[in-house]
Amino acid sequence: DTAVSQTPKYLVTQMGNDKSIKCEQNLGHDTMYWYKQDSKKFLKIMFSYNNKELIINETVPNRFSPKSPDKAHLNLHINSLELGDSAVYFCASSQGGRLAGTSTDTQYFGPGTRLTVL
Amino acid sequence: AQSVTQLDSHVSVSEGTPVLLRCNYSSSYSPSLFWYVQHPNKGLQLLLKYTSAATLVKGINGFEAEFKKSETSFHLTKPSAHMSDAAEYFCVVPGFQKLVFGTGTRLLVSP
């Protein structure tokens, strides 16, 4: 049983298009995240949601819009794709609540979505 | 702000020899620290975590790490490398509702 799943696994698209990546977790966790991994393997947080509420938006361009229809899902929609958006996007989840502060809860990662913008 | 520095971008070992992946942290207080592993074209998996209990932490697949406050270090070790250990390893410090990743160390294991 997959704990954190993402679709699609690969996404190839043209500049200027709009695309979405879906994420689902079946762990019953309260908090979900999106991370971006660049070509140098550097990972950086993009968004954090707790129980459908946005907690962190790390200076991500507003072309990126996360949507959480319920606490088990956190989708990422990207408008007007640019070459620099090419990366691997990872979804993750953890148990901690919004008042957890500096959380030591283990984050469970999905397999990643490799986005290539041509 | 808390941060981690991974001192080596690549480490090469032979199968059966010890592994040492180095990580230094910067924090105004004793932090929690994690090591995550990413196998090629896979997601990230938690190897081990330190949360101010025992300073020597044992993880999965025979890895362990020791928290040394005097040296601000949290190096990852394994006595004997296996081919399946070849992967990217990240030292990580938790921030508010997020993880802060080091730049990663690629472990190469040769037969």
Side-chain angles (χ1 to χ4, degrees):
Chain A
D1 287 342
T2 304
V4 182
S5 59
Q6 295 178 230
T7 52
K9 193 170 170 69
Y10 298 95
L11 187 51
V12 181
T13 188
Q14 300 285 336
M15 260 194 326
N17 284 350
D18 303 338
K19 291 291 178 188
S20 291
I21 306 172
K22 295 187 176 181
C23 177
E24 177 181 2
Q25 54 96 2
N26 62 7
L27 298 167
H29 288 165
D30 289 330
T31 306
M32 295 185 73
Y33 313 81
W34 277 107
Y35 288 86
K36 180 180 179 181
Q37 185 175 43
D38 64 22
S39 58
K40 292 186 165 58
K41 300 281 189 182
F42 183 62
L43 272 146
K44 190 165 185 226
I45 184 77
M46 297 175 69
F47 301 103
S48 160
Y49 265 73
N50 176 262
N51 207 6
K52 303 194 296 176
E53 182 185 353
L54 178 67
I55 304 298
I56 286 181
N57 178 341
E58 286 277 310
T59 60
V60 178
N62 57 14
R63 297 183 295 105
F64 290 78
S65 52
K67 286 186 171 51
S68 183
D70 55 62
K71 76 173 193 175
H73 295 84
L74 180 61
N75 303 323
L76 183 65
H77 188 76
I78 315 170
N79 287 329
S80 303
L81 278 155
E82 300 178 356
L83 292 176
D85 298 331
S86 295
V88 181
Y89 292 84
F90 287 100
C91 177
S93 72
S94 70
Q95 184 61 56
R98 84 179 305 274
L99 299 180
T102 300
S103 175
T104 59
D105 291 336
T106 299
Q107 291 190 18
Y108 294 84
F109 284 78
T113 296
R114 184 176 293 275
L115 171 64
T116 303
V117 182
L118 303 174
Chain B
Q2 301 189 103
S3 66
V4 288
T5 301
Q6 292 184 245
L7 300 165
D8 307 294
S9 59
H10 293 81
V11 169
S12 294
V13 300
S14 299
E15 195 173 19
T17 63
V19 175
L20 170 64
L21 305 182
R22 298 183 294 163
C23 173
N24 286 109
Y25 69 88
S26 174
S27 176
S28 54
Y29 55 91
S30 285
S32 298
L33 290 160
F34 305 157
W35 276 97
Y36 275 80
V37 60
Q38 182 180 21
H39 286 94
N41 299 314
K42 302 276 188 189
L44 291 103
Q45 181 183 22
L46 180 69
L47 264 183
L48 50 82
K49 66 178 175 181
Y50 166 74
T51 56
S52 74
T55 56
L56 182 62
V57 182
K58 292 191 185 301
I60 61 172
N61 301 333
F63 283 93
E64 62 182 38
E66 186 170 7
F67 176 78
K68 292 187 177 180
K69 187 174 180 179
S70 59
E71 298 175 12
T72 62
S73 69
F74 188 58
H75 300 336
L76 182 70
T77 60
K78 183 174 180 177
S80 175
H82 192 272
M83 295 296 291
S84 61
D85 295 327
E88 192 88 20
Y89 292 80
F90 294 94
C91 184
V92 180
V93 60
F96 179 73
Q97 295 287 1
K98 65 181 179 183
L99 297 178
V100 178
F101 285 79
T103 49
T105 298
R106 177 162 292 180
L107 178 63
L108 306 165
V109 183
S110 56

